[in-house]
Amino acid sequence: AQSVTQLGSHVSVSEGALVLLRCNYSSSVPPYLFWYVQYPNQGLQLLLKYTTGATLVKGINGFEAEFKKSETSFHLTKPAAHMSDAAEYFCAVSEGSGNTPLVFGKGTRLSVIA
Amino acid sequence: NAGVTQTPKFQVLKTGQSMTLQCAQDMNHNSMYWYRQDPGMGLRLIYYSASEGTTDKGEVPNGYNVSRLNKREFSLRLESAAPSQTSVYFCASSEVGRGTQYFGPGTRLTVL
């Protein structure tokens, strides 16, 4: 069975500092992995995704994530936080057995301090 | 291109009342989903429809029913609303089950 664990329900960083949001997954087959962002009072939007191929994935707004199979991780990073990055971030996994829906983590709220 | 639309945006119900949340997508996607989002609980899948004509239960289906009206539309019905159903409801769609999901703006529901 698939599952996703996001370490830290709330992360706070200073503007300009490194952003690191952690995601670990369990999957019995090669997974598809996703990061979504949710700004206040909005729906979720895709930041980036890993399906196959290159393990370092670049997304929108300067974010990237690296798929590490040996560590079953897909951590999200950004070199320098901006105030506009304050939002909730969700990691999701799909085992890809045809029509199996994504499984989402519980989310990490990112605060950026000026 | 509107993507995924949901109506209404806000709703207040009294305990025992019924209502239907509407969702439509214009991306010709096969799969559609209903989630609820509660503080600290993340997104929880209520029901999904892998393709037109099929529906399946998710993690928290009790108290809800769904209808996949056609390929574009997927509605969620609360037959007898309870305060525990106070939540933000999101509809999403994807081309296939493991594909990128596209979300609507949500419906904020309060049950008194």
Side-chain angles (χ1 to χ4, degrees):
Chain A
Q2 318 165 61
S3 69
V4 177
T5 302
Q6 291 186 240
L7 297 176
S9 58
H10 185 209
V11 171
S12 187
V13 301
S14 298
E15 192 175 20
L18 172 72
V19 176
L20 171 61
L21 304 182
R22 299 177 188 273
C23 173
N24 288 89
Y25 69 91
S26 68
S27 175
S28 57
V29 299
Y32 284 6
L33 294 158
F34 304 78
W35 275 101
Y36 284 83
V37 60
Q38 184 183 31
Y39 298 105
N41 299 315
Q42 294 186 26
L44 280 70
Q45 57 182 275
L46 182 71
L47 264 182
L48 51 81
K49 67 178 179 181
Y50 168 80
T51 54
T52 58
T55 56
L56 183 62
V57 182
K58 295 187 185 299
I60 60 172
N61 301 337
F63 284 92
E64 62 183 35
E66 187 171 9
F67 169 56
K68 291 188 177 181
K69 184 178 177 181
S70 60
E71 298 178 8
T72 60
S73 69
F74 191 57
H75 301 331
L76 182 70
T77 60
K78 181 174 181 178
H82 191 273
M83 298 297 289
S84 61
D85 295 326
E88 187 141 22
Y89 293 79
F90 292 92
C91 182
V93 63
S94 171
E95 281 192 323
S97 53
N99 288 320
T100 306
L102 302 184
V103 173
F104 286 84
K106 293 193 183 306
T108 298
R109 181 166 299 281
L110 176 67
S111 297
V112 182
I113 304 166
Chain B
N1 191 337
V4 179
T5 57
Q6 293 182 236
T7 55
K9 286 187 167 44
F10 301 93
Q11 184 71 49
V12 179
L13 293 178
K14 295 181 180 178
T15 297
Q17 289 185 314
S18 62
M19 78 161 296
T20 299
L21 282 64
Q22 306 286 354
C23 173
Q25 52 93 6
D26 62 4
M27 294 173 281
N28 201 35
H29 285 165
N30 291 303
S31 302
M32 298 186 73
Y33 313 85
W34 276 105
Y35 294 92
R36 59 178 290 173
Q37 183 178 29
D38 303 289
M41 302 295 289
L43 285 171
R44 292 184 290 172
L45 183 65
I46 304 171
Y47 271 94
Y48 67 102
S49 172
S51 60
E52 189 178 354
T54 69
T55 60
D56 285 285
K57 295 178 180 179
E59 181 185 356
V60 288
N62 291 345
Y64 305 95
N65 285 302
V66 290
S67 295
R68 183 75 182 266
L69 304 170
N70 48 54
K71 192 171 186 178
R72 287 188 64 247
E73 298 172 288
F74 189 39
S75 63
L76 178 71
R77 183 161 177 83
L78 286 69
E79 291 291 353
S80 178
S84 60
Q85 294 177 306
T86 293
S87 188
V88 181
Y89 291 85
F90 288 100
C91 178
S93 70
S94 65
E95 191 170 333
V96 293
R98 73 177 314 191
T100 301
Q101 289 188 15
Y102 296 85
F103 284 79
T107 294
R108 190 172 296 272
L109 175 66
T110 300
V111 183
L112 303 175

